[in-house]
Amino acid sequence: QLQASGGGLVQTGGSLRLSCAASGATFDEYAIGWFRQAPGKEREGVSCISSSDGMIYYADSVRGRFTISSDNAANTVYLQMNSLKPEDTGVYYCVAVWGVSPYACYVRGHWGQGTLVTVSS
């Protein structure tokens, strides 16, 4: 089971760090991804990481601003979000994924409760 946390309200240009904590499994067994859903829009992939082979995916819209990392000892994946923009606003979810490459990743798990990120202009 994965639990996302760390969302909040931030001004344009600000930073937030999201955390995804796991229970019942270890991250070296699974790849983990961050997805987001903005109001009135479809859910989209943001970033994914595979601890087993080091593969990382970033959406074009966040590459260079967001950094994903994994602390396997803590069973936690982080998403450091810098230079935030109003279009980054949405509910952010972490989920188990597969097939992580620099170009894509694919959902394999169940959606849990997300964390809301609001970027004010």
Side-chain angles (χ1 to χ4, degrees):
Q1 184 174 0
L2 302 177
Q3 179 65 49
S5 63
L9 173 64
V10 64
Q11 291 185 333
T12 296
S15 298
L16 282 174
R17 188 177 78 159
L18 305 184
S19 298
C20 177
S23 59
T26 56
F27 280 143
D28 57 0
E29 300 175 29
Y30 296 98
I32 300 296
W34 286 98
F35 290 69
R36 68 186 180 190
Q37 187 165 21
K41 295 188 177 181
E42 293 187 356
R43 199 169 298 180
E44 63 176 352
V46 175
S47 182
C48 300
I49 185 168
S50 173
S51 297
S52 61
D53 59 12
M55 285 291 183
I56 290 178
Y57 163 78
Y58 291 109
D60 289 343
S61 58
V62 307
R63 186 175 293 112
R65 300 188 296 123
F66 291 10
T67 303
I68 193 169
S69 62
S70 177
D71 183 344
N72 289 349
N75 254 12
T76 303
V77 168
Y78 302 100
L79 185 68
Q80 178 67 43
M81 307 187 297
N82 298 328
S83 302
L84 283 163
K85 305 175 181 180
E87 51 263 45
D88 295 316
T89 294
V91 178
Y92 283 68
Y93 303 86
C94 60
V95 66
V97 297
W98 65 279
V100 180
S101 76
Y103 312 104
C105 58
Y106 305 94
V107 176
R108 65 173 289 180
H110 299 287
W111 298 106
Q113 188 171 3
T115 185
L116 177 63
V117 172
T118 304
V119 184
S120 63
S121 58

